[in-house]
Amino acid sequence: MKMKNLCLNFDATKPSIPSKPSSMFLVPPPPRRLWFPTWNNYRNKSNNNQKTRKLSVSVWLKEQWLESAAKSAFGFGVSATFLFSVFCDSPSALAESLTVAFPVSRAPEVNAVQRTLVEAWGLIRETFVDPTYNHQDWDLKLQQTMVEMFPLNSADAAYTKISGMLSTLGDPFTRIISPKEYQGFRIGSDGNLQGVGLFINVEPRTGHLVVLSCIEGSPAARAGIHQGDELVEINGERLDGIDSEAAAQRLRGSAGTTVTVKVKDSVKKSSIREVKLPREYIKLSPLSSAIIPHRLPTGQLTKTGYVKLSAFSQTAAEDMKNAIQELENQGVHSYILDLRNNPGGLVKAGLDVAQMWLDGDETLVNTIDRNGNMLPITMADGHAITHDPLVVLVNEGSASASEILAGALHDNGRAILVGHKTFGKGKIQSVTELHDGSALFVTVAKYLSPALHDIDQVGITPDVQCTTEMLNSPKEASAKDNNGSKNSVSSLEADSCIMVAEHELDMEESKGTAS
């Protein structure tokens, strides 16, 4: 199946840089690319009143829409000035010209971060979803930040200035992370992690760090930390104003070490407890599957295929395809897709999974760019792997790509949603690796469901509500995760949401029989 109208690339992978003139280098802000010439050496200029060197920036801005991302590259020389240019895909006249002089730091490490500042500023200028930049002069913001950075002596302090500049955008999801933090962010492709097994995110309305989910069997899960709990401290340090990546970096560490956290209970709001968690090797298995024997009201015994997807990693779509095909080979008659506590991940993976359940030219999601233009992302001649009845389970921990997938399947009449209202993150971020190995996350678009339902800070309300407590009526079931190991999962049949899902599937079966 192919996609049409898919101008956004949500994957953070880095294909090779295409061949271009040697005087140009590529900076990849998905979904747009900017072309930069080399950093040119100029002679130092001085005047009688200012003994510092100056950094002269000439900026020409236009747009080019492309579909893939690549790692940026820069030539560098110790220079008094440099030329900063952006070209469009049309050889027409320049759209805008801006020249500003900045002081260049004498500290080499700060001077390097000044380049990162200009790079991040340019990407925000071209791709950030709000063209007013939170109602501020973004060009002036660059000047102010560069001047504030000039007297600093350390790279850490300089990066703090970049974070401060980005915070003025009023979007907690637009941020910069260090090279070390970025490597941690990319964990999941190989499925290995040393940590405590928590998925965390900033709650946009409060700014607090909340737990989206715990990996089953992880130290966090064994300690009784639950979805919705708030992280207050890590190793005695308050987390006020700390983003999720920085907090996750503090939680990670070598297996065998420990980390102490303070957690505010999501139910007993006034209850704060301190927990000492051991760090362990944690295997990230984003998908597990099971066959649940199910008896219809008619007495007929059927098989329900159960698939749980915990994150949208680079392997999620392929894992999902393999799981569906294996369950089809085992003769299942219906499906339950469990997206509860799935915090999202690569949106492209979510779109790829949606196509496995849909036919034709269905719209998967609608994106709205910085100019308010709506772009539907649709399939091209899709062919579903299976047409068996489908129920999708969601809850407050289902966010981002999970909400896109749930909305696509629901609004196209393919699935019934069961559970609780979803998290409500309707923003799409690009991830760009900068020249120094750090990464810039930028909110580049908002999205609506295929039926044009707003998701951001609203969430998706399921067709049928259910409770999440476990009931004492387990039935036998056999399950196999994506590594092929057998497990006892009788608890699936004791899950009230799965019971509700099976009832909905019975109703669909009776409709099919009646027709």
Side-chain angles (χ1 to χ4, degrees):
M1 290 175 288
K2 297 181 179 179
M3 301 285 287
K4 64 182 181 181
N5 295 336
L6 181 52
C7 293
L8 294 176
N9 178 11
F10 309 96
D11 201 333
T13 54
K14 302 180 296 181
S16 59
I17 299 175
S19 176
K20 290 292 176 182
S22 60
S23 62
M24 296 293 183
F25 293 93
L26 182 64
V27 172
R32 304 178 183 183
R33 268 182 185 161
L34 311 181
W35 291 96
F36 293 76
T38 54
W39 296 70
N40 298 286
N41 287 314
Y42 293 87
R43 62 183 179 87
N44 291 342
K45 298 180 180 180
S46 62
N47 56 51
N48 296 330
N49 298 322
Q50 182 83 25
K51 296 301 182 181
T52 61
R53 294 173 293 162
K54 294 290 183 180
L55 198 62
S56 178
V57 185
S58 297
V59 185
W60 294 274
L61 296 167
K62 296 198 79 174
E63 301 176 355
Q64 176 177 359
W65 286 81
L66 294 175
E67 294 185 8
S68 60
K71 184 177 180 180
S72 60
F74 280 87
F76 177 70
V78 179
S79 58
T81 61
F82 66 82
L83 190 64
F84 174 47
S85 303
V86 183
F87 299 93
C88 68
D89 52 351
S90 171
S92 58
L94 297 176
E96 184 177 349
S97 178
L98 171 68
T99 303
V100 184
F102 299 118
V104 175
S105 173
R106 296 184 182 277
E109 62 270 29
V110 176
N111 181 270
V113 179
Q114 284 183 304
R115 295 189 294 140
T116 303
L117 167 65
V118 174
E119 189 178 4
W121 168 84
L123 297 178
I124 295 292
R125 198 181 199 276
E126 281 298 283
T127 66
F128 186 59
V129 66
D130 176 10
T132 73
Y133 313 103
N134 199 21
H135 306 285
Q136 63 180 327
D137 186 333
W138 192 239
D139 298 337
L140 179 61
K141 182 60 65 174
L142 171 65
Q143 300 176 45
Q144 293 172 341
T145 307
M146 188 71 81
V147 171
E148 292 173 1
M149 191 179 288
F150 171 69
L152 301 178
N153 295 315
S154 72
D156 288 344
Y159 273 108
T160 299
K161 290 297 181 183
I162 298 180
S163 296
M165 180 182 75
L166 298 179
S167 69
T168 66
L169 295 168
D171 174 28
F173 302 110
T174 295
R175 62 204 185 279
I176 190 170
I177 63 175
S178 70
K180 185 176 181 180
E181 290 172 329
Y182 182 47
Q183 290 305 311
F185 169 80
R186 294 176 68 106
I187 291 174
S189 297
D190 58 7
N192 291 303
L193 173 69
Q194 295 181 63
V196 298
L198 279 177
F199 286 107
I200 57 177
N201 203 353
V202 174
E203 211 290 323
R205 289 175 287 273
T206 65
H208 296 160
L209 279 168
V210 297
V211 176
L212 286 180
S213 63
C214 295
I215 297 174
E216 185 176 354
S218 67
R222 297 197 304 269
I225 297 176
H226 301 102
Q227 181 262 328
D229 290 352
E230 178 188 338
L231 285 184
V232 179
E233 290 184 5
I234 299 177
N235 284 336
E237 296 185 14
R238 296 282 299 181
L239 299 178
D240 301 328
I242 300 297
D243 63 39
S244 57
E245 266 68 43
Q249 186 64 34
R250 297 182 186 184
L251 292 171
R252 298 187 192 112
S254 300
T257 62
T258 60
V259 59
T260 301
V261 300
K262 281 189 178 180
V263 182
K264 180 183 289 187
D265 191 276
S266 58
V267 178
K268 302 176 182 178
K269 299 296 183 182
S270 61
S271 175
I272 297 180
R273 63 189 180 104
E274 184 174 282
V275 183
K276 190 173 184 179
L277 301 174
R279 295 186 177 104
E280 300 175 357
Y281 285 98
I282 296 173
K283 183 66 177 179
L284 297 177
S285 299
L287 186 143
S288 60
S289 61
I291 294 179
I292 305 175
H294 177 60
R295 193 169 297 279
L296 297 173
T298 61
Q300 178 185 359
L301 185 65
T302 66
K303 296 179 180 179
T304 298
Y306 171 83
V307 182
K308 181 174 179 61
L309 188 60
S310 60
F312 289 90
S313 66
Q314 293 181 15
T315 64
E318 186 65 26
D319 290 343
M320 178 65 70
K321 179 181 178 181
N322 293 336
I324 296 174
Q325 289 176 337
E326 183 174 345
L327 290 170
E328 284 289 295
N329 292 337
Q330 297 185 52
V332 302
H333 300 90
S334 58
Y335 285 88
I336 297 173
L337 173 57
D338 193 345
L339 299 179
R340 290 176 296 178
N341 299 319
N342 182 325
L346 300 179
V347 177
K348 183 179 182 299
L351 298 176
D352 289 343
V353 170
Q355 293 183 87
M356 299 175 190
W357 302 93
L358 294 167
D359 288 317
D361 301 324
E362 303 286 10
T363 295
L364 301 177
V365 70
N366 295 288
T367 65
I368 301 177
D369 67 16
R370 58 192 274 149
N371 299 314
N373 301 315
M374 189 165 68
L375 174 70
I377 298 177
T378 63
M379 301 191 306
D381 192 26
H383 297 281
I385 298 175
T386 177
H387 297 93
D388 291 334
L390 172 66
V391 168
V392 176
L393 301 181
V394 294
N395 68 358
E396 301 89 342
S398 306
S400 191
S402 291
E403 294 172 292
I404 289 180
L405 175 56
L409 298 178
H410 177 268
D411 288 2
N412 286 300
R414 181 64 180 90
I416 298 171
L417 300 187
V418 170
H420 292 277
K421 188 167 71 171
T422 60
F423 183 81
K425 183 186 176 187
K427 295 184 175 74
I428 297 172
Q429 282 78 48
S430 69
V431 183
T432 305
E433 184 172 341
L434 306 180
H435 75 282
D436 61 352
S438 62
L440 183 69
F441 292 68
V442 183
T443 297
V444 296
K446 298 179 181 179
Y447 62 79
L448 304 177
S449 74
L452 303 183
H453 295 143
D454 195 357
I455 295 174
D456 194 45
Q457 300 189 40
V458 176
I460 298 175
T461 301
D463 301 298
V464 182
Q465 300 281 330
C466 72
T467 58
T468 56
E469 63 267 17
M470 307 302 286
L471 304 179
N472 296 319
S473 57
K475 302 176 184 179
E476 290 186 0
S478 62
K480 182 170 66 174
D481 65 18
N482 58 328
N483 293 317
S485 61
K486 296 285 184 178
N487 298 287
S488 173
V489 291
S490 60
S491 60
L492 288 177
E493 282 293 293
D495 185 331
S496 60
C497 289
I498 291 181
M499 291 182 177
V500 172
E502 289 183 323
H503 174 72
E504 293 300 319
L505 291 171
D506 288 347
M507 298 293 290
E508 288 297 304
E509 180 71 20
S510 64
K511 291 177 184 177
T513 302
S515 62

